[in-house]
C-alpha cells in the first residue's frame, strides 16, 4: 500500500510540473488585398493628375508667350499661333478635369474597400476570440481533469465537454452579433460615401450647366447688339419722303 501511495504521489508531482502549452500569439495584421489594390490605383491616378497639372502650366506659359508675341506684331501667323496655344490650354484643362474626376472616383473606391476590410477584420477578430476561448477552456479542463478522481473520469469528461460546447456556442452567437453590427456600420459608411460622391457630381453638373447658359446668353446679347445698327439704318431708308416747303 505504501508503494502504491508513493507511485501516485510521484505521478501527481510529475503532472504538476508538466509545462503548459504557450498560447499562440495573434497573427499580425495583414493588409487587405482590396485596400492595397485601391490604394495603388489611387496613387497611379494622382501621379497622372500631377502630370496633367504640369502640362496645363506649360500650356499656359506657351499661350502667354504667344499672346504677347501676337500683340507686338500684326502678322497673321503670330495670331494663329496664339489661338492654337489658347486651344492647347483648353484641351489640357479638360484632360486635367477628367484626371481629377478619376482621382475622386478612386478615393470613393478606397473608402469602400477600407470599410469592407474593417468589417472583415472585425469578423476575423471575433473568430480568433472564439478560438482563444476554446483553447482556454481546454487548458482549464485539462487541469481540472487531473485533479478529478479516476472513477468519475468518463462522466466528468462528458459533462465538461457539454458545458464547454455551450460556452463556445454562446461565444459564437456573441461573435456573430458583433460581426453583424460591424457589417451594418460598414454598409452605412459606404452609403454615406456614395451619397457624398453623388452630391459632388450633381453640384459639378449644375455648375457646368449654369456656365453654359451664361455663355449662351452673353453670345446672344453680343449678336443682338451687332445686328441692331443695321436695322435702324434700314428703317430710315424705308420711311416716306418729306414734303418740300412751298
Amino acid at each position: 500500500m505504501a508503494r502504491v501511495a508513493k507511485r501516485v504521489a510521484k505521478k501527481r508531482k510529475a503532472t504538476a510540473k508538466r509545462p503548459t502549452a504557450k498560447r499562440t500569439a495573434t497573427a499580425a495584421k495583414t493588409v487587405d488585398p482590396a485596400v492595397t489594390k485601391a490604394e495603388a490605383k489611387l496613387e497611379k491616378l494622382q501621379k497622372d493628375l500631377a502630370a496633367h497639372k504640369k502640362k496645363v502650366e506649360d500650356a499656359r506659359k506657351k499661350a502667354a508667350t504667344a499672346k504677347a508675341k501676337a500683340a507686338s506684331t500684326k502678322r497673321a501667323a503670330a495670331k494663329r499661333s496664339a489661338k492654337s496655344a489658347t486651344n492647347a490650354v483648353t484641351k489640357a484643362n479638360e484632360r486635367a478635369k477628367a484626371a481629377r474626376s478619376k482621382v475622386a472616383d478612386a478615393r470613393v473606391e478606397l473608402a469602400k474597400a477600407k470599410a469592407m476590410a474593417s468589417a472583415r477584420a472585425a469578423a476575423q477578430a471575433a473568430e480568433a476570440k472564439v478560438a482563444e476561448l476554446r483553447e482556454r477552456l481546454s487548458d482549464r479542463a485539462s487541469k481540472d481533469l487531473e485533479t478529478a478522481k479516476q472513477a468519475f473520469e468518463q462522466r466528468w469528461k462528458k459533462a465538461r465537454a457539454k458545458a464547454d460546447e455551450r460556452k463556445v456556442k454562446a461565444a459564437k452567437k456573441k461573435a456573430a452579433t458583433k460581426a453583424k453590427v460591424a457589417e451594418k456600420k460598414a454598409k452605412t459608411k459606404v452609403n454615406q460615401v456614395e451619397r457624398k460622391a453623388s452630391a459632388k457630381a450633381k453640384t459639378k453638373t449644375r455648375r457646368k450647366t449654369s456656365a453654359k447658359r451664361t455663355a449662351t446668353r452673353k453670345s446672344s446679347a453680343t449678336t443682338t447688339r451687332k445686328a441692331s445698327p443695321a436695322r435702324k439704318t434700314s428703317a430710315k431708308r424705308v420711311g416716306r419722303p418729306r414734303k418740300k416747303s412751298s
Side-chain angles (χ1 to χ4, degrees):
M1 290 292 290
R3 289 178 182 177
V4 173
K6 285 180 181 179
R7 285 176 188 173
V8 172
K10 285 180 181 180
K11 191 175 181 180
R12 285 179 180 173
K13 285 180 181 179
T15 304
K17 290 179 182 178
R18 190 182 298 166
T20 55
K22 292 183 179 179
R23 291 192 181 92
T24 54
T26 54
K29 288 184 179 179
T30 55
V31 180
D32 192 89
V35 174
T36 303
K37 186 178 178 181
E39 286 176 343
K41 184 179 178 181
L42 177 59
E43 187 177 355
K44 183 178 179 297
L45 290 173
Q46 284 176 335
K47 287 180 180 178
D48 291 343
L49 177 59
H52 282 300
K53 284 181 178 179
K54 191 175 184 304
K55 286 178 182 178
V56 170
E57 289 177 3
D58 294 341
R60 283 175 179 168
K61 288 178 182 177
K62 288 181 181 178
T65 305
K67 284 180 181 178
K69 190 174 181 181
S72 63
T73 182
K74 294 181 179 181
R75 291 181 181 179
K79 291 181 179 180
R80 284 197 299 272
S81 178
K83 188 176 180 181
S84 177
T86 303
N87 290 336
V89 171
T90 303
K91 288 179 181 179
N93 274 325
E94 288 174 356
R95 285 192 286 268
K97 284 180 182 178
R100 283 192 199 96
S101 179
K102 287 180 180 179
V103 168
D105 291 342
R107 281 178 178 153
V108 171
E109 289 178 8
L110 178 59
K112 287 181 181 179
K114 283 183 176 179
M116 296 310 296
S118 177
R120 283 192 290 271
Q124 289 173 0
E127 289 175 4
K129 283 185 179 180
V130 171
E132 185 182 355
L133 175 64
R134 188 186 291 276
E135 185 181 355
R136 227 178 23 246
L137 291 170
S138 179
D139 291 343
R140 194 183 299 167
S142 297
K143 289 177 183 178
D144 293 341
L145 184 60
E146 292 299 328
T147 61
K149 292 182 180 181
Q150 293 181 359
F152 299 96
E153 185 175 350
Q154 294 300 321
R155 269 187 289 170
W156 187 92
K157 277 184 178 181
K158 288 180 182 179
R160 190 56 183 247
K162 286 180 180 179
D164 289 351
E165 194 60 31
R166 282 196 298 271
K167 289 179 182 178
V168 169
K169 282 181 180 179
K172 278 185 178 179
K173 190 176 180 181
K174 190 176 180 180
T177 304
K178 286 185 178 180
K180 284 181 181 178
V181 171
E183 185 179 0
K184 190 175 179 181
K185 286 182 179 179
K187 286 181 179 178
T188 303
K189 194 170 184 180
V190 167
N191 290 335
Q192 288 176 352
V193 171
E194 286 179 345
R195 282 199 296 272
K196 286 182 181 178
S198 177
K200 285 183 180 179
K202 286 181 181 177
T203 303
K204 285 184 180 178
T205 304
R206 283 199 298 270
R207 287 178 180 172
K208 285 181 180 178
T209 304
S210 179
K212 284 182 181 178
R213 286 177 182 170
T214 304
T216 305
R217 287 173 187 167
K218 286 183 179 178
S219 177
S220 299
T222 304
T223 305
T224 305
R225 282 199 299 273
K226 287 182 179 178
S228 60
R231 289 178 184 174
K232 287 180 181 178
T233 305
S234 62
K236 286 179 182 179
R237 288 178 185 174
V238 174
R240 292 174 97 187
R242 294 181 180 178
K243 291 182 179 181
K244 292 182 180 180
S245 57
S246 56

